Amino acid sequence: MTRRALWKGLLGLAGLMLYPCALPQEPLQAGSQQTSRDKAWNILRAGVHDSSFDKRANAVQSLGLTSGDSQAMQLAEEALHDKEPTVRAAAAKALGAMRSTKSIPLLQAASSDKDISVCLAVAHSLTQLKENSGYDLYYAVLTGERKGGKSLIAGQMNDLKSPERAVKFAFDQGIGFVPYAGYGMEAVRAWKKRSTTPTRAAAARELAEDPDPRTSRALAEAASDKSWIVRAAALEAIAKRGDPALLETAAQQMSDKKDIVRFSAAAAVLHLSDIVDERSQKNPGA
């Protein structure tokens, strides 16, 4: 073998080592692929109908990983009627993850569930699906009343005061509705006192993009709440909302006794002022 042929052979071998995809791949047999799909569905269906509600919830939530499969959507929709709230909440979350817009009417019906964890999961999924009615529950948590004037039922309010349940729900469902992380031990103490304060603060954060004008008024009121945690959260939402009409509200809170509230207010003032300036430059005669 010549030196040139030897080098050519070595380079070819190195190429195969660096790019294993260059090796010939045996195509997956159609029968094998079908067998894998059948096995996958058998696993999920068994989980969805398991006698353990934890296993049902895990299986239902996993349906959200599918890419809008019609059978998966149907299973999740059926799970919205499960006797266990954990499973119903998982079903709501899965439908949002699957971007199942056809399920919006079912999710809206589930928004009046007697269990607050289900309502919160429904609210999150509706906002994922660009359905503004999802903000109604967050509004109710912040203000104590739904936008139509109907109050949260007593059982739901009690649920909001249960730190163990609320924390478990936040992490199990993974929907971002985490009890007010980032504000240190005072927020933790509020949970231990069975206060609704951190939950109301989290609800205020979720309302940042709600286009309803009533939410602007609710956030303005929350910026003067007796709890600094709610005030700070409301100001964060006001800044993200980008509504110049709330500039004065933010400015008034720059003298708050709590530093995090002052900081949030100052940042909101800067952001909203920039928006006002940009609009003035675009419409100088306005």
Side-chain angles (χ1 to χ4, degrees), residues 34-51:
Q34 187 59 42
T35 300
S36 295
R37 287 184 60 82
D38 291 343
K39 182 179 180 180
W41 275 118
N42 289 337
I43 290 172
L44 286 172
R45 288 195 183 98
V48 167
H49 297 105
D50 198 278
S51 59

Side-chain angles (χ1 to χ4, degrees), residues 110-120 137 140-141 146 150-162 165 196 199:
S111 67
S112 58
D113 196 283
K114 63 182 180 181
D115 192 282
I116 192 66
S117 66
V118 180
C119 294
L120 291 172
L137 194 278
V141 170
R146 294 183 183 271
K150 183 180 178 182
S151 299
L152 287 174
I153 62 177
Q156 291 177 322
M157 291 303 294
N158 288 333
D159 282 344
L160 292 178
K161 296 179 182 180
S162 173
R165 186 172 184 198
T196 62
T199 313

Side-chain angles (χ1 to χ4, degrees), residues 13 29 39 87 101 105 162 186 196 200 202 230 233 238 279 281:
L13 179 61
Q29 297 296 320
K39 182 179 180 180
V87 180
T101 53
S162 173
E186 291 188 58
T196 62
R200 292 176 56 234
V230 175
I238 285 172
R279 292 184 181 180
Q281 292 174 7

Side-chain angles (χ1 to χ4, degrees), residues 54-73:
D54 277 334
K55 289 183 180 179
R56 292 202 306 277
N58 289 336
V60 169
Q61 186 163 314
S62 296
L63 294 172
L65 300 175
T66 66
S67 301
D69 185 281
S70 60
Q71 294 183 65
M73 288 181 184

Side-chain angles (χ1 to χ4, degrees), residues 163-186:
E164 298 85 1
R165 186 172 184 198
V167 171
K168 183 179 185 302
F169 170 73
F171 285 98
D172 284 354
Q173 299 304 317
I175 62 171
F177 198 82
V178 178
Y180 217 44
Y183 281 176
M185 289 305 298
E186 291 188 58

Side-chain angles (χ1 to χ4, degrees), residues 22-265:
L23 291 169
Q25 301 288 325
E26 291 189 12
L28 187 65
Q29 297 296 320
S32 298
Q33 184 177 2
Q34 187 59 42
T35 300
S36 295
R37 287 184 60 82
D38 291 343
K39 182 179 180 180
W41 275 118
N42 289 337
I43 290 172
L44 286 172
R45 288 195 183 98
V48 167
H49 297 105
D50 198 278
S51 59
S52 165
F53 73 86
D54 277 334
K55 289 183 180 179
R56 292 202 306 277
N58 289 336
V60 169
Q61 186 163 314
S62 296
L63 294 172
L65 300 175
T66 66
S67 301
D69 185 281
S70 60
Q71 294 183 65
M73 288 181 184
Q74 183 178 347
L75 287 174
E77 288 179 345
E78 291 172 356
L80 282 175
H81 305 290
D82 194 276
K83 63 181 180 180
E84 290 292 336
T86 304
V87 180
R88 299 198 298 274
K93 178 176 181 284
L95 290 168
M98 284 188 278
R99 298 297 191 269
S100 180
T101 53
K102 80 176 192 65
S103 303
I104 287 176
L106 288 175
L107 287 168
Q108 289 174 324
S111 67
S112 58
D113 196 283
K114 63 182 180 181
D115 192 282
I116 192 66
S117 66
V118 180
C119 294
L120 291 172
V122 168
H124 180 75
S125 287
L126 285 172
T127 56
Q128 275 187 307
L129 297 172
K130 309 301 181 184
E131 173 52 51
N132 290 335
S133 62
Y135 291 113
D136 292 354
L137 194 278
Y138 296 126
Y139 180 95
V141 170
L142 177 62
T143 65
E145 289 188 356
R146 294 183 183 271
K147 289 179 178 178
K150 183 180 178 182
S151 299
L152 287 174
I153 62 177
Q156 291 177 322
M157 291 303 294
N158 288 333
D159 282 344
L160 292 178
K161 296 179 182 180
S162 173
E164 298 85 1
R165 186 172 184 198
V167 171
K168 183 179 185 302
F169 170 73
F171 285 98
D172 284 354
Q173 299 304 317
I175 62 171
F177 198 82
V178 178
Y180 217 44
Y183 281 176
M185 289 305 298
E186 291 188 58
V188 174
R189 282 193 287 270
W191 278 105
K192 290 183 177 179
K193 292 179 181 178
R194 295 187 176 272
S195 166
T196 62
T197 293
T199 313
R200 292 176 56 234
R205 275 180 161 177
E206 296 291 329
L207 286 167
E209 297 181 10
D210 181 8
D212 193 324
R214 287 174 292 187
T215 294
S216 288
R217 294 192 291 271
L219 289 173
E221 292 180 9
S224 300
D225 194 89
K226 64 180 180 180
S227 167
W228 69 267
I229 298 176
V230 175
R231 296 199 302 274
L235 287 163
E236 283 190 30
I238 285 172
K240 292 177 181 177
R241 195 172 181 77
D243 182 359
L246 295 172
L247 177 56
E248 182 58 30
T249 296
Q252 291 173 357
Q253 302 309 315
M254 287 196 294
S255 57
D256 196 280
K257 293 180 180 180
K258 195 69 179 177
D259 56 5
I260 186 63
V261 178
R262 294 197 305 274
F263 298 153
S264 299

